[in-house]
Amino acid sequence: MTIPQHIKNVLRPKNTVIIENKTIGNYKYAVRERTGYKKDAKGKMQPVYGKVIGYIVDNNFQQISKPHVQDEEKYYLSFGSAAFIYSVTKDIYEDLLKAFSARDAEKIITISCIRVMHPYLSCYRYSTEYKKTFLSLFFPGVPLSKNTILNFLQGLGKARDHRVDFFLKRLERVQKTHKIVIDGMLKQNTSIVNDLSAYSRKSRVKGCRDISLLYAYDIDLKEPIAATVYADNTLDCKAFRSFVVENQLYKGVIIADKGFNIKEVEDIVSMHKDLHYIIPIRRNDRRVIDNNMLDFNIDFTQQKQRINAKKIALRTNRYLYSFKDFETSINESRGLHDKIVMTEDEDTKQKLRNKKLTAGVIVFESDLDLDAQDIYKMYQDRWALEVVFDRFKNDLFLNRTNVQNDFSVIGSEFINFISTLITCRLIKKIEATDLFKKYTYKSIMSALHCCWRFNTDIDLKEDIYLEYNDLSHVFEDTKEIMIKLGLMKDNGLVEIKKTGRPKIKPTIVDYPRRRRGRPRTRSIIVDHPKRKRGRPKKVDQFSK
């Protein structure tokens, strides 16, 4: 269709042309600028037109002064939580780059950060949350659609050598004197299409199938260093050797629980001089009676616990340490006593009476020649791994697998390991301040997530942190959190104004102290004789 003449007659800038669009309305006739000329196939000069600079609306030329909404380059993004997480992931990302390709390393670290920032998030929402935060600037151009993530998790589960290389990079930071705790936990997995989901002895209580996760935790670094997935029906003693060999835990002091048998890795310990162990043995072990480990000769108190202990050196250059806690012994003896009273079988009663002799007793086997008090403290420190498992399930909400394939489960658990590592570092950074006296971990992360900032305000190569006046719309308590965590620059700490009407202190006037008793009403100077005490006698007029 030809352009109407009255549209052509409208005044517009020079070197422009009117083009008719298919749309009907105010934007039907667009005005494009002429940018130059070029020769066509026949050698003739033809004009070259550029972008649209305006429209003919109501017989008037209206120039485009602002870009379209979808073309806007300056916008708000969530800054606080993303910057906090990014501040502790530098060396993790470097180790991932050494073990994986650059694109895979970016996907792993980005998905892990999103799981820390938004626990229990479905795969189809990862891309949305990624674009809402500064993670899209820290790790730009990462594809996070649902199909991309699911295919990537499956490929990550197949890449065993790459995962082991990453764990080896983490193990390089472990010193030979560090204490490494190895323990496992169960995680719900009711899938019927993978081989990792199985029933165990605990399934009769939970009523569902699980998978088994073994973690290695460095007490000195306060963070996990390796993790492996096993089927739930795999015994801990059988998975112990596989876990140590696969992750090459050949230095440090291994501290395990009663389910792990040292016989499975005894040859590995003898081959590596920097590898040691502290593992409890069963109370009914013959070595407990043969070496009189119940005849305690050491007494000490640790963390308000009254402990009796004994240390014995064996012929095999190994040592036995036995400990008895008074409080635990009393509680176990009470439970055994109630069972004895309720049982009628004499043989069962005798077995329960024999157990009362070892109530509250724990015996360790180790190749370390240390004081008994040091051994007991090292074993008590293993509780830190139980705290990590609690964060894994309750803070990150990673108590379900949410994937079905065997390789997808393994790949997803590797991502969960990175997320757990990041969470431990965040908590360690918060503990260095006094924020836990006023806030919880979840409240701190929630407050940081509400801190927004323009995407064009920072230079990622130089500095990502805020000046004090950059966020005028953020609450004062959030500014305090960001300043203490090192996410905001400020010369002095902000003073938080308390809500409500300020209290008015009463003015205290220092009046002279009043003498006790009723004040006198008459003058002290007396100018007449004093009256005699008592009532005057009455004179009888008839007596005269």
Side-chain angles (χ1 to χ4, degrees):
M1 295 178 64
T2 59
I3 307 298
Q5 188 62 35
H6 70 279
I7 298 297
K8 292 181 180 181
N9 295 334
V10 175
L11 294 178
R12 64 181 189 275
K14 294 181 180 180
N15 296 325
T16 59
V17 65
I18 300 177
I19 299 174
E20 183 178 4
N21 294 327
K22 294 181 179 180
T23 58
I24 299 175
N26 293 333
Y27 302 100
K28 183 176 182 179
Y29 301 105
V31 179
R32 298 181 64 179
E33 63 180 355
R34 183 183 299 162
T35 59
Y37 295 88
K38 69 176 182 179
K39 292 182 180 181
D40 59 3
K42 297 181 180 181
K44 295 182 179 181
M45 300 300 293
Q46 299 293 337
V48 178
Y49 297 103
K51 62 181 180 180
V52 176
I53 62 172
Y55 296 92
I56 304 298
V57 181
D58 295 334
N59 294 327
N60 291 314
F61 171 73
Q62 293 187 358
Q63 186 177 359
I64 299 176
S65 58
K66 294 183 179 181
H68 296 294
V69 175
Q70 62 269 21
D71 299 331
E72 183 64 45
E73 297 181 355
K74 185 177 180 180
Y75 46 85
Y76 273 117
L77 291 174
S78 178
F79 172 77
S81 57
F84 186 34
I85 294 172
Y86 181 73
S87 64
V88 300
T89 57
K90 182 178 180 181
D91 61 326
I92 301 176
Y93 184 50
E94 292 176 353
D95 291 342
L96 288 172
L97 288 174
K98 295 176 183 177
F100 297 88
S101 64
R103 299 300 297 172
D104 292 342
E106 285 185 346
K107 288 181 183 178
I108 292 172
I109 195 68
T110 304
I111 296 174
S112 302
C113 292
I114 293 175
R115 288 191 180 183
V116 175
M117 194 183 309
H118 299 284
Y120 208 63
L121 191 68
S122 300
C123 291
Y124 70 90
R125 291 188 56 196
Y126 275 51
S127 179
T128 302
E129 298 299 333
Y130 166 74
K131 295 176 182 178
K132 285 170 53 178
T133 66
F134 262 74
L135 289 177
S136 58
L137 300 183
F138 298 147
F139 308 104
V142 180
L144 293 177
S145 65
K146 178 181 178 181
N147 293 335
T148 301
I149 293 175
L150 295 178
N151 293 332
F152 177 71
L153 292 179
Q154 186 171 358
L156 183 60
K158 297 177 182 178
R160 175 185 175 276
D161 294 338
H162 296 276
R163 299 195 311 273
V164 172
D165 288 343
F166 173 77
F167 291 143
L168 292 179
K169 298 298 180 183
R170 307 303 306 163
L171 286 170
E172 291 177 358
R173 293 173 170 80
V174 177
Q175 305 296 328
K176 62 181 181 180
T177 57
H178 284 191
K179 300 178 286 293
I180 300 175
V181 180
I182 297 178
D183 203 353
M185 70 171 175
L186 300 179
K187 184 174 178 179
Q188 180 177 339
N189 184 13
T190 57
S191 174
I192 60 175
V193 298
N194 64 51
D195 299 326
L196 296 173
S197 178
Y199 289 105
S200 69
R201 59 184 181 85
K202 294 184 179 180
S203 297
R204 61 183 179 84
V205 179
K206 299 177 63 176
C208 65
R209 289 177 291 182
D210 303 298
I211 60 174
S212 178
L213 296 176
L214 282 188
Y215 265 63
Y217 180 83
D218 193 322
I219 297 177
D220 298 275
L221 295 178
K222 295 183 179 181
E223 60 186 38
I225 55 177
T228 307
V229 184
Y230 295 94
D232 193 21
N233 55 4
T234 304
L235 298 177
D236 290 342
C237 60
K238 299 299 181 182
F240 188 28
R241 180 181 180 85
S242 173
F243 183 76
V244 172
V245 174
E246 179 178 347
N247 298 294
Q248 301 184 22
L249 298 174
Y250 296 149
K251 60 180 178 180
V253 182
I254 296 178
I255 306 174
D257 209 348
K258 295 180 180 179
F260 301 91
N261 193 351
I262 189 57
K263 294 182 180 179
E264 299 291 335
V265 295
E266 197 167 7
D267 56 336
I268 301 175
V269 174
S270 61
M271 292 170 57
H272 300 86
K273 62 179 182 179
D274 294 334
L275 182 62
H276 306 280
Y277 66 91
I278 299 174
I279 297 180
I281 62 176
R282 295 183 178 275
R283 296 176 181 177
N284 57 359
D285 196 301
R286 288 190 57 184
R287 291 173 293 178
V288 176
I289 303 299
D290 294 344
N291 295 282
N292 298 322
M293 298 306 297
L294 300 180
D295 297 335
F296 304 104
N297 54 10
I298 303 174
D299 301 305
F300 62 89
T301 302
Q302 184 169 301
Q303 297 180 355
K304 298 182 181 181
Q305 291 179 318
R306 301 172 181 85
I307 307 296
N308 291 339
K310 185 176 182 178
K311 174 184 175 182
I312 291 292
L314 303 177
R315 297 179 181 177
T316 57
N317 295 327
R318 299 290 188 266
Y319 299 88
L320 291 181
Y321 301 87
S322 61
F323 302 92
K324 181 178 181 179
D325 183 5
F326 272 81
E327 297 295 332
T328 306
S329 177
I330 292 173
N331 293 333
E332 290 187 12
S333 298
R334 287 175 179 173
L336 292 172
H337 178 78
D338 294 339
K339 290 182 179 180
I340 292 173
V341 173
M342 296 175 62
T343 304
E344 298 180 356
D345 187 12
E346 292 296 331
D347 295 336
T348 305
K349 286 185 177 182
Q350 187 60 37
K351 291 179 180 179
L352 294 175
R353 292 191 184 99
N354 295 335
K355 286 185 177 181
K356 289 181 68 175
L357 300 176
T358 58
V361 176
I362 185 170
V363 184
F364 298 98
E365 179 185 354
S366 177
D367 61 341
L368 292 173
D369 185 9
L370 299 175
D371 293 337
Q373 191 170 355
D374 296 334
I375 295 292
Y376 190 77
K377 184 179 183 303
M378 292 170 70
Y379 184 74
Q380 290 294 100
D381 290 340
R382 67 172 294 278
W383 185 254
L385 182 56
E386 300 294 340
V387 177
V388 173
F389 288 158
D390 180 71
R391 295 169 186 164
F392 183 92
K393 294 181 177 180
N394 298 321
D395 289 339
L396 295 175
F397 296 99
L398 300 177
N399 53 343
R400 292 184 180 181
T401 54
N402 294 327
V403 288
Q404 303 296 326
N405 187 275
D406 285 352
F407 296 116
S408 298
V409 171
I410 297 173
S412 180
E413 292 306 324
F414 181 77
I415 298 291
N416 292 341
F417 170 82
I418 305 294
S419 301
T420 307
L421 173 60
I422 293 173
T423 304
C424 291
R425 291 192 171 186
L426 295 180
I427 293 178
K428 185 166 59 175
K429 193 171 183 179
I430 297 174
E431 288 177 345
T433 66
D434 58 348
L435 292 176
F436 274 145
K437 295 180 180 179
K438 298 173 59 177
Y439 311 99
T440 62
Y441 170 75
K442 293 182 179 179
S443 62
I444 291 174
M445 295 300 294
S446 177
L448 292 177
H449 188 66
C450 296
C451 173
W452 292 67
R453 188 183 186 186
F454 278 119
N455 62 328
T456 57
D457 287 348
I458 64 172
D459 185 1
L460 298 179
K461 296 181 180 179
E462 296 181 358
D463 196 358
I464 67 169
Y465 303 116
L466 288 165
E467 297 292 341
Y468 177 70
N469 295 324
D470 288 348
L471 291 178
S472 58
H473 63 284
V474 177
F475 294 110
E476 294 296 329
D477 55 350
T478 305
K479 289 184 178 180
E480 179 195 20
I481 293 173
M482 297 189 67
I483 290 172
K484 289 186 176 182
L485 294 177
L487 302 177
M488 178 182 288
K489 296 179 180 179
D490 186 38
N491 296 329
L493 192 63
V494 59
E495 294 183 1
I496 300 178
K497 297 181 181 179
K498 295 183 178 180
T499 59
R501 187 171 56 185
K503 292 183 178 180
I504 301 176
K505 295 184 179 180
T507 55
I508 301 175
V509 182
D510 189 11
Y511 292 104
R513 189 173 180 182
R514 187 176 66 86
R515 296 179 63 184
R516 296 180 61 185
R518 189 172 61 182
R520 286 176 170 244
T521 58
R522 59 191 179 93
S523 177
I524 299 177
I525 301 174
V526 181
D527 55 354
H528 54 82
K530 191 174 181 181
R531 184 178 66 84
K532 293 183 178 180
R533 295 182 62 185
R535 188 173 59 181
K537 289 184 177 183
K538 294 183 178 180
V539 180
D540 189 2
Q541 59 180 347
F542 298 102
S543 61
K544 292 183 180 180

